[in-house]
Amino acid sequence: MSVNQQAHTGPPYGQPQPGYQGYQQPAYGGQSLPGAPQAQYGAYNGPMPGYQQPVPPQGYFPSLGFPSKGSPVSLNSDTSSLAPNFIGSLRAPPTSGAPPPPASGASHPSGHVAYSQFEHGDVQNGIPASAAPMQRPPASQPFLPGSAPTPVSQMSTFQQYGPPQASVQQLRNHMAGMTIGCTAASAPPPAGLGYASVPPVSGSFSATGSGLYTPSSASQGPPLTSVSQGLPLAQPPFPGQTIPTQRLPAQVPGFTPPPPSTGVAPSSYPPTTGAPRPPAMPGPPLPGQTVAGPPSSQPNHVSSPPPPSTMAGLHPGPPMSGLHGPPPPTHPPQPGYQMQQNGSFGQMRGPQPNYGGAYPGAPNYGSPPGPPPPPKRLDPDSIPSPIQVIEDDRNNRGSEPFVTGVRGQVPPLVTTNFLVKDQGNASPRYIRCTSYNIPCTSDMAKQSQVPLAAVIKPLATLPPEETLPYLVDHGESGPVRCNRCKAYMCPFMQFIEGGRRFQCCFCSCVTEVPPHYFQHLDHTGKRVDFYDRPELSLGSYEFLATVDYCKNNKFPSPPAFIFMIDVSYNAVKSGLVRLICEELKSLLDYLPREGNMEESAIRVGFVTYNKVLHFYNVKSSLAQPQMMVVSDVADMFVPLLDGFLVNVNESRTVITSLLDQIPEMFADTRETETVFAPVIQAGLEALKAAECAGKLFIFHTSLPIAEAPGKLKNRDDRKLINTDKEKTLFQPQTSFYNNLAKDCVAQGCCVDLFLFPNQYLDVATLGVVPYQTGGSIYKYAYFQLETDQYRFLNDLRRDVQKEVGFDAVMRVRTSTGIRATDFFGAFYMSNTTDVEMAGLDCDKTITVEFKHDDKLSEDSGALLQCALLYTSCAGQRRLRIHNLSLNCCTQLADLYRNCETDTLINYLAKYAYRGVLSSPVKTVRDALINQCAQILACYRKNCASPSSAGQLILPECMKLLPVYLNCVLKSDVLQPGPEVTTDDRAYIRQLVTSMDVAETNVFFYPRLLPLTKADVDSDSLPAAIRNSEERLSKGDIYLLENGLNIFVWVGVNVQQGLIQNLFGVSSFSQISNALSTLPVLENPFSKKVRSIIDMLQGQRSRYMKLIIVKQEDKLEMLFKHFLVEDKSLSGGASYVDFLCHMHKEIRQLLS
């Protein structure tokens, strides 16, 4: 079995899954939870064992749920069904010949009509399902050396979108005879619309303006159906509307489009000269306009009001019964409809009896002719569900350890709780790649447009049951390295000549083995001490660095922490100064330390400031602390050396006395102005004088307008949004802070900034130093002691205690054929290869993009080695090494079969968030859409079996790319709503840039849990539901988390008993919005909900703010902003509409 092939993931999307009751459900990222009731969603890896396939009614297409006839025009997932016990097989590229006959003994259930040559649930792509269960490769499979990610070229055109191209007549004909079939509400849907292929509704995506989507409301759109394009226009454009022509915006400096990809024939791109496209159909006629064609059974105008929905304020949609799925169909099977290959629904010749007309809603369930029933839009259950994919991955891959011995294995999703066994490749907790099988040539990479990138988290925290990297000490000679490329000894190095020399796996240079490191080889060519040496047998390990790896060739001193507190009027009046001082008294006992040390080696110092700076001498020999004021902020110096940085235990009484006195000293201050840059300069000078690295913890409240270096002015201007000058809002006001950041990095001075603004503060500028030094920013707008202190104190405690490496330098080496070309994250780079960080903590990631510089070979694969040189919190200089081997492929199908969508989205979001610094936001958004359309079009053209253009075919590994990409496009940075401030956008932009894959996953597609469905007797979480308003019920309570906030949404019809148990009040109207924590009540429901919240808080790097939202309350608008599958108020498309749009873009590229 070849390790170059990929794990099969089961039947097409939407196949009925069994009820999952009674299975154990693993926690999201925490411990596995015993006795959990299973979620109603799963991720697709085949039907569960023992599940009987239901018998479809005649004329009802099992994988699609549409009675239909005519040519296949539909949507499928590119998968084949598998034996029920199959977990992660290997799959060959699709074959073009006819499939073999069914395995002997295979029979159809009675009443099941075979369609084409395929079994129920099969799709014509890929090999037919094997009758015998396939086995996973054994964990002890021989390891093949070699492998690393590759580059990619960016999108080649930035397109503007015109309205969809399809004639009304076709749409009406097409939809007139169609019914959306559904299964009973208790089971997940059948493979309803495997994947929606859709021209969007009229005006869905405007061709002008800012590139914001303005889709028509969900109730008015046609169902997602496919139409053939290019027929003459059946209706004139709206009065005054011109037919848009395709034009490329002028190239924007700094955001250059790459050369056109080679995989799509030149003709597939729209002409770049501004030549008109085929005319586009603007949409349903306005009232009073007529359309040629057969009469439809429903008035054809858009202005009809949406039907009354089952819930106030919800989108019209299928009635929810228990939120499990759509209602059962009410029509009898239609006689005379033939089964079709693929479950496609075809184009109709004309209106069919008993079906509603085409517009404005989807066709109704076949009801008797007569008054038209309310319109129904496409069933969202029929398009790929993130919830389902997450759940299936948990079920299929959460139960057994992920063993890293095999090259190019795709790890379980970040949402799956799994154990890692390091057998030669770094754990996915340290490195995740966008693809684990990279193209052999740059032409292939350009053709696919899949970015080749790795998201690296060098100091990631491991769960308690996994071993930390071993520390290897080679004595004074230091680590063994390749003579030419300086790569460190790793499992992929080849020993030759009886072990006397080794050949480098990165550059092929042969190096002598130092005498002290020599060891004999066994009969397989392996060293006999292979398993005794971490660097020969593990993917991740550490070396103790020698003095040659230290600055100025001398070992570093232990680092220092300096606490710098704003004591201006705002900070004192809000109670912040007193709160910080009280907390520091106890927090100083928890400074980070090496595993076996009794006390921390870190020294501490204290500064307060407003317009001037106050330094404190807290030397242990003093009876009282001494204060020294520096008022000349233009030329900052540190007025004392001895007594500023001290050991906490030695100076404890003096420090406690100081922390008691600070709030009293400044209690009556009237000083409102502050400085900022001199504060950082003071900390930097103090660390320089002490000759050590360290971290500044700055607590700051207002825009620094006092006369001093780095003084800022208020430049907030919302009028710049959606203009070419919008990018200035994300750029720093002055280059002063960039230069200051450079000095800080050189000294190893990392800055963590805690902001407490009541108005504009210019995060884009104040954040430059924290960002470039590898630090963090925390923001508490309108800080109020009673509601925000708990969140702030939790963040501060975790920030002070977490593992940090100081004075860090990271380099990524790759094997011949690819090289690291681009880096994203919180760091500074003075050259093209070294990523420098004054501090790097356990939550920070660095994202690296690779490009080809030569051909790769399938046999040797590709390798990457990440080496991080840093000073530990005890002052020890260390090297942490992570190695990863990837497969290489000559077939595009192998690339698409081994991609990881979560990592791809993490990279694309960071790429886009950096793009807004130099390009208009609209250009960035268009480029993102264009690149993803090219990725999917290349798959369709080169990997999917031939099928009608009306089908949207998505790779199994990327079926969530459209929904997640839409979430990135709708995010506050790329499409802000009116309530989002400039500071919020700059803050989010910096935050996302160093997030890991698990954090971006929940940030862009939040987790929504029905609390009322939680089992109070088990440790498990309730099954998550999709992020859409129509999934909410008025009688339930829901929790939504996105890594920064936790919303608890309470429906207006929630039982009084539940309200009493959770909030301790007797009615809905008495619930307070001001709660920042839930009251501690002694009842099972309250305990369960609080334990769920504590568990979620424990999984996140920041303490999430709790927000109570009552249905129909003013805060509900904020909550709805996070229901990312719905249309957003700021103009973002709904998931259904965006899928239509992506399909249109793909078809345009292919035509």
Side-chain angles (χ1 to χ4, degrees), residues 586-768:
S586 54
L587 188 54
L588 294 177
D589 290 333
Y590 298 97
L591 298 177
R593 54 183 158 202
E594 294 291 320
N596 50 6
M597 291 172 57
E598 284 188 15
E599 64 174 49
S600 174
I602 293 173
R603 290 172 299 160
V604 298
F606 302 89
V607 172
T608 56
Y609 67 93
N610 39 44
K611 267 166 65 168
V612 298
L613 276 77
H614 323 106
F615 293 80
Y616 297 93
N617 184 344
V618 282
K619 199 172 173 180
S620 56
S621 56
L622 294 174
Q624 283 292 321
Q626 293 172 349
M627 171 166 139
M628 300 186 187
V629 180
V630 176
S631 51
D632 181 8
V633 289
D635 183 18
M636 186 45 63
F637 67 100
V638 179
L640 74 164
L641 287 180
D642 191 27
F644 180 63
L645 295 176
V646 296
N647 174 294
V648 174
N649 285 342
E650 289 171 10
S651 297
R652 178 168 306 278
T653 50
V654 193
I655 291 173
T656 305
S657 169
L658 170 68
L659 294 172
D660 284 336
Q661 288 175 38
I662 287 174
E664 306 308 326
M665 276 192 286
F666 298 100
D668 300 324
T669 184
R670 286 284 167 266
E671 186 54 74
T672 55
E673 293 187 357
T674 58
V675 296
F676 184 69
V679 181
I680 297 175
Q681 287 171 327
L684 173 61
E685 292 302 324
L687 294 177
K688 268 187 190 164
E691 295 184 349
C692 69
K695 187 182 267 200
L696 313 181
F697 295 84
I698 302 179
F699 305 91
H700 189 79
T701 61
S702 59
L703 190 70
I705 53 171
E707 275 308 321
K711 172 186 173 179
L712 300 179
K713 60 179 191 289
N714 186 336
R715 53 158 188 168
D716 189 17
D717 186 1
R718 291 193 59 84
K719 292 198 283 295
L720 297 181
I721 292 178
N722 297 329
T723 68
D724 284 353
K725 287 191 176 164
E726 184 172 4
K727 59 188 177 217
T728 59
L729 297 175
F730 296 109
Q731 298 165 352
Q733 270 189 51
T734 155
S735 61
F736 181 87
Y737 288 95
N738 295 75
N739 298 327
L740 181 55
K742 185 176 166 184
D743 297 341
C744 286
V745 172
Q747 181 55 41
C749 169
C750 176
V751 177
D752 280 1
L753 181 57
F754 292 80
L755 294 173
F756 306 87
N758 289 333
Q759 57 199 31
Y760 178 71
L761 192 71
D762 203 348
V763 173
T765 306
L766 297 189
V768 167

Side-chain angles (χ1 to χ4, degrees), residues 435-588:
S435 179
Y436 288 81
N437 199 332
I438 61 181
C440 282
T441 65
S442 61
D443 286 349
M444 254 178 94
K446 282 195 189 99
Q447 189 179 346
S448 74
Q449 289 283 313
V450 175
L452 302 168
V455 179
I456 306 173
K457 196 175 180 182
L459 298 179
T461 310
L462 299 184
E465 52 276 23
E466 290 177 25
T467 355
L468 291 170
Y470 290 98
L471 181 60
V472 179
D473 184 358
H474 282 312
E476 286 183 15
S477 57
V480 179
R481 304 175 69 175
C482 166
N483 270 347
R484 185 198 292 161
C485 70
K486 300 296 181 212
Y488 294 87
M489 180 54 67
C490 72
F492 314 121
M493 299 287 191
Q494 286 277 277
F495 286 88
I496 52 176
E497 297 177 22
R500 286 188 296 279
R501 305 169 88 185
F502 68 90
Q503 183 168 24
C504 177
C505 50
F506 295 94
C507 70
S508 305
C509 173
V510 173
T511 302
E512 295 283 336
V513 172
H516 72 90
Y517 197 70
F518 173 78
Q519 188 53 272
H520 294 286
L521 308 184
D522 65 11
H523 64 286
T524 64
K526 255 187 195 171
R527 284 174 53 124
V528 294
D529 62 352
F530 177 81
Y531 290 108
D532 302 332
R533 290 194 176 274
E535 73 273 22
L536 299 181
S537 53
L538 299 177
S540 301
Y541 42 87
E542 292 199 314
F543 290 120
L544 206 52
T546 59
V547 75
D548 305 333
Y549 292 86
C550 302
K551 262 188 199 161
N552 309 324
N553 275 10
K554 64 179 202 184
F555 285 112
S557 310
F561 282 1
I562 304 177
F563 297 92
M564 316 185 89
I565 306 167
D566 173 347
V567 288
S568 63
Y569 177 75
N570 276 347
V572 174
K573 189 186 66 162
S574 66
L576 182 62
V577 174
R578 189 174 295 277
L579 182 69
I580 294 168
C581 292
E582 280 305 313
E583 178 59 29
L584 287 179
K585 286 184 206 170
S586 54
L587 188 54
L588 294 177

Side-chain angles (χ1 to χ4, degrees), residues 378-438:
L378 165 83
D379 174 14
D381 285 329
S382 60
I383 54 182
S385 157
I387 303 300
Q388 187 76 43
V389 171
I390 288 168
E391 190 56 26
D392 285 346
D393 193 76
R394 277 185 190 155
N395 294 336
N396 295 325
R397 305 197 64 183
S399 53
E400 51 189 81
F402 177 68
V403 181
T404 71
V406 183
R407 180 175 87 190
Q409 281 184 108
V410 182
L413 298 181
V414 284
T415 43
T416 298
N417 186 25
F418 60 99
L419 205 63
V420 180
K421 290 195 173 162
D422 185 342
Q423 292 192 357
N425 281 294
S427 158
R429 302 191 206 288
Y430 294 123
I431 306 182
R432 276 187 179 264
C433 294
T434 52
S435 179
Y436 288 81
N437 199 332
I438 61 181

Side-chain angles (χ1 to χ4, degrees), residues 99-108 117 119 131:
S104 58
S107 61
H108 299 295
Q117 336 72 322
E119 263 291 67

